[in-house]
Amino acid sequence: MWFYNVPAAFICAAAVAQAASYTSYIGDQYQYQISAIATDNAGNTYVAGSRILQVIPQPVGGGISYSETVTDVFVSKVDSSGNSTVLGTFGNNAQASAIAIDPSGNIYVTGASASAFPLQNPLQSTSYPQGTGFLIKLAANGSVIYSTYLGGTLGASSLSAVAADAQGNAYVAGWTQASDYPQTPGLPAGPVSDTPDAVIGAAFFAKINPAGSQILYAGGLSGGVECGATCQGNTVYNVSTAIAVDPAGNAYIAGNAAAGLPTTAGSLLGKGLGPFVAKVAAAGNAMDYVTYLVAGNYFASISAIAVDSAGDAYLSGSTSDPAFPVTPGAYQTKLAGTPASEAFVAKLNPSGSAMVWATFLGASGGDSAQTVAVTPSGTVWVSGTTQSADYPTTVSVTSGGGEFLTELDSTGASLVYSGLFPTETVAQGLAVDANAALHSAGSFGLVSEFPASAPPGQTAALWTFGLINAAGGTLSGRLAPGELIAIYGLNIGPTSPAYAGAPDGFLPTKLAGVQIAINGVAAPLLYVSATQINAVTPLELTAGSDTQMQLTIDAATFNVQVRVDAAAPGVFINPNGGGAAAINQDGTVNSPGNPAPDASYVSIWTTGTGYFPGTDGQIATAANQFCTSELSMCSVLTSAGFLNVGNIPQPVIYSGAAPDLVNGVVQVNFQVSASVQNGYFLSVGGFKSTVFTIYTSAGTSQ
């Protein structure tokens, strides 16, 4: 071999950053995608979403242009210590969208299924091939009380929201194109259509009795009927996105619609386009109000709704409309600039006739609120996504975070708390329990809980967001034996960063008062700071297991539930460019200006291969090829198409230790081809890295 040393800058991980009860990762051998969370009076968190069971490439016109993902539905419970339990998995080619808990601990989950779904005492037993909404009610132990399709049989449908009352009635909302969707007297039954001339869906809603044996009421709101010839050939979706119920049994529906909804007299806005709010009378025989929020001259969308005991509806979403009905004295009464969108938060009065208060929330980039939750004291929490580096904050949680968590006071006039968070940590789900503790979730399996009085960054308590392969990827709680990882958080290390030395040829397992133990085994440390720790996971970990990662700094500890995979390969990327951290055969750095010659060899560095000889934390001193049957990573593959289909193995002449780097970093030398235009990935026992670029003299692979 010719060059075994990777420049130190290539093995740096980026910095990110979070403070109190727990962070937990839910998942098993499959990747979990969280859709929504709910909480009970005991402070447990209930999570619904979908497990990715299979990714099936779909050829189009001789090439690969997209993939079909097969998922099932999962329901999990995370206790107040962060320990998670899967209560059940359901269906095949199904996705969950929402979850609710009633005071008795019963669990309600909605979503859509495009194949046979397990039914029990169904109200509707027939589905539609393109997908049908479903509702499941589970007892606290996960046993099924009932399971049914809902939304009609003569067209596609989906249920995107669910709520429950103290009696065990379920309230659902979504959309339908089925002309036979359930309808009851006194409620709107808007038209739907699925023809070449026009596709019109209705914002469907219904109330189901506790046994699941009767539809107590149902209806559908649809617009688009006023657009006449302009509807020809168009798709007009009217969709319910969220639902809530007050103690008196009134149901509140939020969604997005075309023009022409049957709004009510005296409502906030009788004509409009986009976000709407509707209130169904407790008796289920009339609409108390139906109102638009904006006239529709600009983009606007509503994402979430919550309700208090007085019947005030709390709303969140995003808009670029400068005429959104913000109120005088609100926190932000004007758009901060000209972004694609800006978050909004609003409180609509019980009659739907006026805003109690409403505010923009954002800054110079695009911002979107995705959740809303109300505390017993009337303050309002929202979380969402942001592209604004100058998003308004009250605490420093992380710089450059892609998500936000914000608390407004009960009048909407000021921020009680606001912080930027890493992507995939808080924007997917938000709930407040009876003790005012806040529960949050990211899309890819991270669930957190902390006292609302001590959110991240407001105290000196330890907090971790999760971890990530040091070569990059998605923040999560998944790791492999012998993987270099970066752990992000707040107050997790010393104020002044400390770097590990290896005078005896081994990294330390304690550095500046910081220790990491995974399944009780100490992890070697490379770097520690208040917001980031770089470590090497112990080789002794058992693949396919769930375990605890314990972070200790001085006398304080923080536990995170993690999942151990057999491998999790990640290829280090050049921080000064978009390509892999690669060295050409002549010993120079691969770059657009210094490509590798066609058919030459390059070196890359990876971690998360799941196997290496030697000892945890040991610094490799020489080349040692260990491509064996235990480590099935002897091929680098080209990606041909969106999902790496039509893979072509590339010649590998070395796969083994990376001299002068810690065990866990693996060097791979392989031959490149100028004809490869769709990039490379590393395959380790069926686990694949993300696609990476190697620049070649006859073209660039991306």
Side-chain angles (χ1 to χ4, degrees):
M1 302 307 100
W2 59 90
F3 190 89
Y4 292 100
N5 297 309
V6 61
F10 286 162
I11 308 297
C12 290
V16 192
Q18 213 199 64
S21 293
Y22 71 76
T23 294
S24 182
Y25 176 79
I26 61 169
D28 50 28
Q29 69 268 36
Y30 302 110
Q31 175 67 59
Y32 278 43
Q33 293 182 321
I34 293 176
S35 297
I37 65 172
T39 183
D40 63 16
N41 291 332
N44 300 300
T45 308
Y46 296 82
V47 187
S50 305
R51 300 187 307 170
I52 299 176
L53 304 180
Q54 190 178 9
V55 176
I56 303 174
Q58 299 296 315
V60 175
I64 306 301
S65 64
Y66 74 100
S67 68
E68 178 180 297
T69 301
V70 178
T71 62
D72 68 1
V73 170
F74 78 86
V75 181
S76 291
K77 176 182 177 180
V78 185
D79 67 21
S80 57
S81 297
N83 301 306
S84 66
T85 303
V86 177
L87 297 178
T89 59
F90 309 92
N92 188 28
N93 204 12
Q95 294 184 322
S97 57
I99 187 169
I101 311 295
D102 70 23
S104 298
N106 298 306
I107 306 160
Y108 305 77
V109 178
T110 57
S113 177
S115 63
F117 194 80
L119 305 178
Q120 185 165 319
N121 304 318
L123 284 164
Q124 177 183 323
S125 57
T126 303
S127 63
Y128 190 75
Q130 279 67 52
T132 303
F134 68 78
L135 167 64
I136 309 175
K137 181 176 181 178
L138 307 174
N141 64 2
S143 61
V144 178
I145 297 173
Y146 65 78
S147 174
T148 184
Y149 291 121
L150 197 60
T153 66
L154 300 180
S157 63
S158 177
L159 295 180
S160 53
V162 64
D165 63 22
Q167 290 73 45
N169 297 297
Y171 301 76
V172 300
W175 64 269
T176 183
Q177 290 174 226
S179 58
D180 62 341
Y181 72 85
Q183 304 163 7
T184 55
L187 297 181
V192 297
S193 174
D194 189 5
T195 69
D197 290 335
V199 177
I200 300 175
F204 173 70
F205 60 92
K207 178 181 178 181
I208 312 301
N209 73 344
S213 59
Q214 183 182 2
I215 297 175
L216 299 177
Y217 66 69
L221 295 161
S222 66
V225 294
E226 295 182 355
C227 61
T230 63
C231 286
Q232 297 296 312
N234 290 335
T235 297
V236 180
Y237 280 122
N238 304 286
V239 181
S240 300
T241 57
I243 193 168
V245 61
D246 69 20
N250 301 295
Y252 302 75
I253 302 160
N256 301 291
L261 287 188
T263 55
T264 52
S267 63
L268 175 70
L269 189 61
K271 290 185 180 293
L273 185 67
F276 73 86
V277 182
K279 180 179 179 180
V280 187
N285 57 1
M287 304 299 293
D288 279 354
Y289 66 76
V290 179
T291 184
Y292 285 102
L293 299 187
V294 296
N297 298 322
Y298 295 84
F299 165 80
S301 177
I302 192 167
S303 300
I305 190 169
V307 64
D308 62 23
S309 59
D312 298 294
Y314 298 80
L315 318 168
S316 72
S318 58
T319 184
S320 59
D321 189 350
F324 186 86
V326 294
T327 51
Y331 170 70
Q332 184 180 331
T333 57
K334 294 183 179 180
L335 291 171
T338 55
S341 68
E342 198 156 292
F344 70 79
V345 187
K347 180 179 179 180
L348 184 66
N349 71 4
S351 65
S353 60
M355 293 295 190
V356 179
W357 56 261
T359 183
F360 293 117
L361 186 61
S364 58
D367 312 288
S368 178
Q370 296 181 185
T371 68
V372 67
V374 183
T375 69
S377 63
T379 62
V380 181
W381 286 93
V382 292
S383 63
T385 61
T386 181
Q387 299 176 21
S388 300
D390 55 344
Y391 181 87
T393 60
T394 62
V395 297
S396 177
V397 179
T398 180
S399 59
E403 297 184 350
F404 65 83
L405 178 64
T406 298
E407 182 184 18
L408 288 151
D409 73 2
S410 60
T411 67
S414 63
L415 301 182
V416 179
Y417 170 89
S418 188
L420 289 173
F421 284 67
T423 300
E424 311 299 354
T425 56
V426 295
Q428 191 61 33
L430 199 64
V432 176
D433 67 25
N435 297 315
L438 199 67
H439 305 244
S440 64
S443 298
F444 294 114
L446 290 173
V447 179
S448 302
E449 183 272 332
F450 47 84
S453 60
Q458 198 159 287
T459 72
L462 299 183
W463 182 264
T464 60
F465 297 117
L467 58 91
I468 193 171
N469 185 298
T474 301
L475 199 68
S476 72
R478 303 187 80 101
L479 49 81
E483 179 185 359
L484 269 70
I485 60 171
I487 304 164
Y488 295 113
L490 286 177
N491 307 309
I492 59 175
T495 303
S496 298
Y499 298 83
D504 59 353
F506 290 85
L507 292 175
T509 56
K510 185 174 183 179
L511 180 62
V514 175
Q515 294 174 288
I516 299 291
I518 305 175
N519 198 30
V521 181
L525 302 174
L526 296 94
Y527 168 84
V528 296
S529 71
T531 58
Q532 180 178 338
I533 298 172
N534 289 0
V536 185
T537 63
L539 188 60
E540 300 89 332
L541 297 178
T542 301
S545 65
D546 296 315
T547 189
Q548 290 283 330
M549 179 179 72
Q550 183 179 74
L551 186 158
T552 303
I553 174 170
D554 300 326
T557 62
F558 194 99
N559 293 322
V560 180
Q561 182 168 303
V562 296
R563 175 75 182 181
V564 182
D565 290 324
V571 174
F572 288 97
I573 301 301
N574 188 337
N576 297 318
I583 301 298
N584 295 332
Q585 190 166 342
D586 63 3
T588 60
V589 174
N590 182 266
S591 69
N594 187 43
D598 184 28
S600 66
Y601 286 82
V602 299
S603 295
I604 60 171
W605 287 263
T606 179
T607 188
T609 61
Y611 172 82
F612 56 79
T615 307
D616 289 335
Q618 185 175 16
I619 304 299
T621 57
N624 178 19
Q625 179 151 314
F626 49 81
C627 182
T628 68
S629 59
E630 291 84 7
L631 176 62
S632 55
M633 63 157 289
C634 302
S635 63
V636 177
L637 305 178
T638 63
S639 108
F642 183 68
L643 283 172
N644 310 327
V645 180
N647 304 322
I648 306 170
Q650 299 299 288
V652 174
I653 60 171
Y654 177 81
S655 173
D660 298 329
L661 297 176
V662 67
N663 280 341
V665 177
V666 175
Q667 180 174 333
V668 180
N669 299 345
F670 71 99
Q671 189 176 38
V672 297
S673 171
S675 65
V676 175
Q677 296 300 313
N678 290 315
Y680 301 86
F681 65 81
L682 185 67
S683 177
V684 183
F687 295 88
K688 298 176 181 179
S689 74
T690 56
V691 175
F692 59 88
T693 297
I694 299 293
Y695 300 101
T696 62
S697 58
T700 302
S701 60
Q702 301 179 0

